[in-house]
mmCIF file of all heavy atoms in Angstrom:
data_model
loop_
_atom_site.group_PDB
_atom_site.id
_atom_site.type_symbol
_atom_site.label_atom_id
_atom_site.label_comp_id
_atom_site.label_asym_id
_atom_site.label_seq_id
_atom_site.Cartn_x
_atom_site.Cartn_y
_atom_site.Cartn_z
ATOM 1 N N GLU A 594 -6.975 -7.472 -15.783
ATOM 2 C CA GLU A 594 -6.770 -6.586 -16.926
ATOM 3 C C GLU A 594 -8.122 -5.898 -17.357
ATOM 4 O O GLU A 594 -8.114 -4.837 -17.926
ATOM 5 C CB GLU A 594 -6.225 -7.300 -18.130
ATOM 6 C CG GLU A 594 -4.869 -7.954 -17.883
ATOM 7 C CD GLU A 594 -4.999 -9.388 -17.546
ATOM 8 O OE1 GLU A 594 -5.898 -9.708 -16.684
ATOM 9 O OE2 GLU A 594 -4.162 -10.185 -18.038
ATOM 10 N N ALA A 597 -9.250 -1.955 -16.752
ATOM 11 C CA ALA A 597 -9.011 -0.810 -17.642
ATOM 12 C C ALA A 597 -10.192 -0.621 -18.532
ATOM 13 O O ALA A 597 -10.707 0.575 -18.654
ATOM 14 C CB ALA A 597 -7.733 -1.006 -18.478
ATOM 15 N N LEU A 598 -10.682 -1.657 -19.198
ATOM 16 C CA LEU A 598 -11.830 -1.497 -20.120
ATOM 17 C C LEU A 598 -13.102 -1.195 -19.322
ATOM 18 O O LEU A 598 -13.855 -0.288 -19.692
ATOM 19 C CB LEU A 598 -11.992 -2.779 -20.939
ATOM 20 C CG LEU A 598 -13.126 -2.799 -21.938
ATOM 21 C CD1 LEU A 598 -12.954 -1.615 -22.967
ATOM 22 C CD2 LEU A 598 -13.178 -4.118 -22.664
ATOM 23 N N ALA A 601 -12.902 2.368 -17.890
ATOM 24 C CA ALA A 601 -13.070 3.391 -18.923
ATOM 25 C C ALA A 601 -14.481 3.497 -19.377
ATOM 26 O O ALA A 601 -15.023 4.582 -19.658
ATOM 27 C CB ALA A 601 -12.131 3.115 -20.113
ATOM 28 N N SER A 674 6.003 -5.492 -25.241
ATOM 29 C CA SER A 674 4.766 -5.459 -26.036
ATOM 30 C C SER A 674 5.022 -5.134 -27.466
ATOM 31 O O SER A 674 4.462 -5.767 -28.377
ATOM 32 C CB SER A 674 3.841 -4.391 -25.427
ATOM 33 O OG SER A 674 3.449 -4.715 -24.100
ATOM 34 N N GLY A 680 1.505 -7.647 -30.089
ATOM 35 C CA GLY A 680 1.627 -6.239 -29.566
ATOM 36 C C GLY A 680 1.614 -5.217 -30.658
ATOM 37 O O GLY A 680 1.015 -4.152 -30.591
ATOM 38 N N LEU A 683 -1.851 -4.917 -32.033
ATOM 39 C CA LEU A 683 -2.671 -4.092 -31.188
ATOM 40 C C LEU A 683 -2.370 -2.660 -31.364
ATOM 41 O O LEU A 683 -3.339 -1.788 -31.488
ATOM 42 C CB LEU A 683 -2.432 -4.460 -29.710
ATOM 43 C CG LEU A 683 -3.140 -3.590 -28.642
ATOM 44 C CD1 LEU A 683 -4.641 -3.690 -28.866
ATOM 45 C CD2 LEU A 683 -2.755 -4.040 -27.205
ATOM 46 N N ALA A 684 -1.078 -2.251 -31.490
ATOM 47 C CA ALA A 684 -0.738 -0.825 -31.723
ATOM 48 C C ALA A 684 -1.344 -0.343 -33.016
ATOM 49 O O ALA A 684 -1.858 0.813 -33.070
ATOM 50 C CB ALA A 684 0.771 -0.700 -31.698
ATOM 51 N N LEU A 686 -4.067 -1.454 -34.573
ATOM 52 C CA LEU A 686 -5.489 -1.389 -34.385
ATOM 53 C C LEU A 686 -5.887 -0.109 -33.587
ATOM 54 O O LEU A 686 -6.894 0.549 -33.907
ATOM 55 C CB LEU A 686 -6.040 -2.616 -33.640
ATOM 56 C CG LEU A 686 -6.023 -3.924 -34.440
ATOM 57 C CD1 LEU A 686 -6.402 -5.073 -33.535
ATOM 58 C CD2 LEU A 686 -6.962 -3.827 -35.608
ATOM 59 N N ILE A 687 -5.029 0.239 -32.644
ATOM 60 C CA ILE A 687 -5.290 1.480 -31.859
ATOM 61 C C ILE A 687 -5.119 2.685 -32.759
ATOM 62 O O ILE A 687 -5.952 3.610 -32.758
ATOM 63 C CB ILE A 687 -4.324 1.574 -30.649
ATOM 64 C CG1 ILE A 687 -4.637 0.514 -29.613
ATOM 65 C CG2 ILE A 687 -4.444 2.938 -30.023
ATOM 66 C CD1 ILE A 687 -3.638 0.410 -28.498
ATOM 67 N N LEU A 690 -8.055 3.015 -35.114
ATOM 68 C CA LEU A 690 -9.184 3.473 -34.392
ATOM 69 C C LEU A 690 -9.148 5.008 -34.164
ATOM 70 O O LEU A 690 -10.102 5.718 -34.390
ATOM 71 C CB LEU A 690 -9.305 2.740 -33.077
ATOM 72 C CG LEU A 690 -10.611 2.820 -32.302
ATOM 73 C CD1 LEU A 690 -11.758 2.238 -33.112
ATOM 74 C CD2 LEU A 690 -10.499 2.119 -30.977
ATOM 75 N N ALA A 705 -14.453 4.609 -29.336
ATOM 76 C CA ALA A 705 -13.020 4.568 -29.757
ATOM 77 C C ALA A 705 -12.088 4.902 -28.530
ATOM 78 O O ALA A 705 -11.062 4.201 -28.352
ATOM 79 C CB ALA A 705 -12.804 5.573 -30.867
ATOM 80 N N TYR A 706 -12.487 5.890 -27.778
ATOM 81 C CA TYR A 706 -11.599 6.297 -26.696
ATOM 82 C C TYR A 706 -11.547 5.247 -25.605
ATOM 83 O O TYR A 706 -10.511 5.009 -24.929
ATOM 84 C CB TYR A 706 -12.025 7.664 -26.103
ATOM 85 C CG TYR A 706 -11.860 8.821 -27.070
ATOM 86 C CD1 TYR A 706 -12.733 9.881 -27.050
ATOM 87 C CD2 TYR A 706 -10.851 8.809 -28.093
ATOM 88 C CE1 TYR A 706 -12.585 10.960 -28.029
ATOM 89 C CE2 TYR A 706 -10.747 9.838 -28.966
ATOM 90 C CZ TYR A 706 -11.586 10.904 -28.926
ATOM 91 O OH TYR A 706 -11.466 11.928 -29.812
ATOM 92 N N VAL A 707 -12.678 4.667 -25.313
ATOM 93 C CA VAL A 707 -12.731 3.561 -24.338
ATOM 94 C C VAL A 707 -11.861 2.402 -24.730
ATOM 95 O O VAL A 707 -11.049 1.889 -23.983
ATOM 96 C CB VAL A 707 -14.178 3.120 -24.045
ATOM 97 C CG1 VAL A 707 -14.209 1.845 -23.237
ATOM 98 C CG2 VAL A 707 -14.938 4.192 -23.323
ATOM 99 N N ALA A 708 -12.028 1.925 -25.999
ATOM 100 C CA ALA A 708 -11.268 0.821 -26.498
ATOM 101 C C ALA A 708 -9.753 1.112 -26.549
ATOM 102 O O ALA A 708 -8.925 0.335 -26.214
ATOM 103 C CB ALA A 708 -11.771 0.417 -27.859
ATOM 104 N N ALA A 709 -9.435 2.338 -27.031
ATOM 105 C CA ALA A 709 -8.023 2.746 -27.167
ATOM 106 C C ALA A 709 -7.370 2.847 -25.757
ATOM 107 O O ALA A 709 -6.196 2.425 -25.624
ATOM 108 C CB ALA A 709 -7.901 4.084 -27.882
ATOM 109 N N ALA A 710 -8.107 3.360 -24.747
ATOM 110 C CA ALA A 710 -7.560 3.416 -23.404
ATOM 111 C C ALA A 710 -7.201 2.075 -22.856
ATOM 112 O O ALA A 710 -6.113 1.860 -22.298
ATOM 113 C CB ALA A 710 -8.556 4.152 -22.474
ATOM 114 N N ALA A 711 -8.081 1.126 -23.067
ATOM 115 C CA ALA A 711 -7.838 -0.228 -22.628
ATOM 116 C C ALA A 711 -6.626 -0.879 -23.357
ATOM 117 O O ALA A 711 -5.798 -1.568 -22.817
ATOM 118 C CB ALA A 711 -9.062 -1.125 -22.786
ATOM 119 N N GLY A 712 -6.540 -0.522 -24.720
ATOM 120 C CA GLY A 712 -5.430 -1.015 -25.501
ATOM 121 C C GLY A 712 -4.110 -0.460 -25.032
ATOM 122 O O GLY A 712 -3.155 -1.215 -24.871
ATOM 123 N N PHE A 713 -4.050 0.809 -24.721
ATOM 124 C CA PHE A 713 -2.835 1.403 -24.193
ATOM 125 C C PHE A 713 -2.480 0.797 -22.835
ATOM 126 O O PHE A 713 -1.291 0.531 -22.531
ATOM 127 C CB PHE A 713 -2.998 2.911 -24.029
ATOM 128 C CG PHE A 713 -2.780 3.713 -25.262
ATOM 129 C CD1 PHE A 713 -3.792 4.508 -25.788
ATOM 130 C CD2 PHE A 713 -1.583 3.631 -25.961
ATOM 131 C CE1 PHE A 713 -3.598 5.248 -27.003
ATOM 132 C CE2 PHE A 713 -1.380 4.345 -27.167
ATOM 133 C CZ PHE A 713 -2.428 5.155 -27.654
ATOM 134 N N ALA A 714 -3.433 0.528 -22.014
ATOM 135 C CA ALA A 714 -3.167 -0.069 -20.699
ATOM 136 C C ALA A 714 -2.543 -1.468 -20.879
ATOM 137 O O ALA A 714 -1.612 -1.802 -20.115
ATOM 138 C CB ALA A 714 -4.485 -0.193 -19.892
ATOM 139 N N HIS A 715 -3.021 -2.267 -21.864
ATOM 140 C CA HIS A 715 -2.402 -3.547 -22.030
ATOM 141 C C HIS A 715 -0.949 -3.399 -22.603
ATOM 142 O O HIS A 715 -0.123 -4.215 -22.198
ATOM 143 C CB HIS A 715 -3.231 -4.427 -23.020
ATOM 144 C CG HIS A 715 -2.908 -5.833 -22.963
ATOM 145 N ND1 HIS A 715 -3.494 -6.749 -22.065
ATOM 146 C CD2 HIS A 715 -1.949 -6.615 -23.634
ATOM 147 C CE1 HIS A 715 -2.961 -7.918 -22.232
ATOM 148 N NE2 HIS A 715 -2.043 -7.881 -23.133
ATOM 149 N N LEU A 716 -0.735 -2.449 -23.426
ATOM 150 C CA LEU A 716 0.647 -2.225 -23.901
ATOM 151 C C LEU A 716 1.549 -1.890 -22.694
ATOM 152 O O LEU A 716 2.706 -2.279 -22.668
ATOM 153 C CB LEU A 716 0.679 -1.112 -24.901
ATOM 154 C CG LEU A 716 0.121 -1.429 -26.293
ATOM 155 C CD1 LEU A 716 0.097 -0.170 -27.140
ATOM 156 C CD2 LEU A 716 0.854 -2.523 -26.975
ATOM 157 N N LEU A 717 1.027 -1.175 -21.748
ATOM 158 C CA LEU A 717 1.830 -0.744 -20.607
ATOM 159 C C LEU A 717 2.057 -1.862 -19.574
ATOM 160 O O LEU A 717 3.205 -2.011 -19.053
ATOM 161 C CB LEU A 717 1.135 0.414 -19.880
ATOM 162 C CG LEU A 717 1.057 1.769 -20.588
ATOM 163 C CD1 LEU A 717 0.261 2.735 -19.777
ATOM 164 C CD2 LEU A 717 2.495 2.266 -20.872
ATOM 165 N N ALA A 718 1.055 -2.709 -19.303
ATOM 166 C CA ALA A 718 1.188 -3.636 -18.217
ATOM 167 C C ALA A 718 0.670 -5.064 -18.575
ATOM 168 O O ALA A 718 0.723 -5.921 -17.674
ATOM 169 C CB ALA A 718 0.414 -3.142 -17.012
ATOM 170 N N GLY A 719 0.258 -5.294 -19.781
ATOM 171 C CA GLY A 719 -0.327 -6.629 -20.090
ATOM 172 C C GLY A 719 0.742 -7.648 -20.483
ATOM 173 O O GLY A 719 1.888 -7.306 -20.688
ATOM 174 N N TRP A 721 1.751 -11.288 -22.954
ATOM 175 C CA TRP A 721 1.560 -11.694 -24.344
ATOM 176 C C TRP A 721 1.840 -13.170 -24.522
ATOM 177 O O TRP A 721 1.458 -13.797 -25.450
ATOM 178 C CB TRP A 721 2.445 -10.953 -25.284
ATOM 179 C CG TRP A 721 2.220 -9.471 -25.150
ATOM 180 C CD1 TRP A 721 2.878 -8.567 -24.365
ATOM 181 C CD2 TRP A 721 1.206 -8.671 -25.859
ATOM 182 N NE1 TRP A 721 2.372 -7.336 -24.529
ATOM 183 C CE2 TRP A 721 1.348 -7.349 -25.441
ATOM 184 C CE3 TRP A 721 0.224 -9.010 -26.784
ATOM 185 C CZ2 TRP A 721 0.545 -6.311 -25.939
ATOM 186 C CZ3 TRP A 721 -0.575 -8.009 -27.302
ATOM 187 C CH2 TRP A 721 -0.433 -6.644 -26.816
ATOM 188 N N TYR A 730 -8.376 -10.893 -25.461
ATOM 189 C CA TYR A 730 -9.518 -9.975 -25.101
ATOM 190 C C TYR A 730 -9.330 -8.592 -25.706
ATOM 191 O O TYR A 730 -10.315 -8.022 -26.179
ATOM 192 C CB TYR A 730 -9.667 -9.931 -23.549
ATOM 193 C CG TYR A 730 -8.764 -8.914 -22.948
ATOM 194 C CD1 TYR A 730 -9.211 -7.640 -22.606
ATOM 195 C CD2 TYR A 730 -7.425 -9.219 -22.667
ATOM 196 C CE1 TYR A 730 -8.354 -6.661 -22.041
ATOM 197 C CE2 TYR A 730 -6.550 -8.294 -22.060
ATOM 198 C CZ TYR A 730 -7.011 -7.038 -21.765
ATOM 199 O OH TYR A 730 -6.170 -6.097 -21.235
ATOM 200 N N ILE A 731 -8.110 -8.081 -25.650
ATOM 201 C CA ILE A 731 -7.925 -6.709 -26.094
ATOM 202 C C ILE A 731 -7.863 -6.665 -27.638
ATOM 203 O O ILE A 731 -8.303 -5.677 -28.235
ATOM 204 C CB ILE A 731 -6.686 -6.082 -25.480
ATOM 205 C CG1 ILE A 731 -6.705 -4.539 -25.608
ATOM 206 C CG2 ILE A 731 -5.425 -6.709 -25.988
ATOM 207 C CD1 ILE A 731 -7.890 -3.889 -24.933
ATOM 208 N N ILE A 732 -7.293 -7.707 -28.291
ATOM 209 C CA ILE A 732 -7.359 -7.758 -29.712
ATOM 210 C C ILE A 732 -8.829 -7.824 -30.206
ATOM 211 O O ILE A 732 -9.222 -7.082 -31.125
ATOM 212 C CB ILE A 732 -6.591 -9.022 -30.256
ATOM 213 C CG1 ILE A 732 -5.087 -8.888 -29.909
ATOM 214 C CG2 ILE A 732 -6.778 -9.220 -31.714
ATOM 215 C CD1 ILE A 732 -4.339 -7.858 -30.651
ATOM 216 N N THR A 734 -11.458 -6.749 -28.575
ATOM 217 C CA THR A 734 -12.036 -5.464 -28.297
ATOM 218 C C THR A 734 -11.758 -4.408 -29.333
ATOM 219 O O THR A 734 -12.627 -3.689 -29.828
ATOM 220 C CB THR A 734 -11.513 -4.960 -26.938
ATOM 221 O OG1 THR A 734 -11.939 -5.911 -25.899
ATOM 222 C CG2 THR A 734 -12.076 -3.556 -26.609
ATOM 223 N N LEU A 735 -10.485 -4.358 -29.759
ATOM 224 C CA LEU A 735 -10.113 -3.378 -30.818
ATOM 225 C C LEU A 735 -10.674 -3.716 -32.186
ATOM 226 O O LEU A 735 -11.033 -2.841 -32.980
ATOM 227 C CB LEU A 735 -8.574 -3.258 -30.828
ATOM 228 C CG LEU A 735 -7.935 -2.138 -30.019
ATOM 229 C CD1 LEU A 735 -8.360 -0.768 -30.515
ATOM 230 C CD2 LEU A 735 -8.286 -2.305 -28.548
#
Side-chain angles (χ1 to χ4, degrees):
E594 299 97 318
L598 181 59
S674 296
L683 176 60
L686 289 173
I687 293 172
L690 193 63
Y706 294 150
V707 168
F713 278 121
H715 196 90
L716 289 174
L717 291 175
W721 305 92
Y730 83 98
I731 196 62
I732 296 291
T734 297
L735 267 295

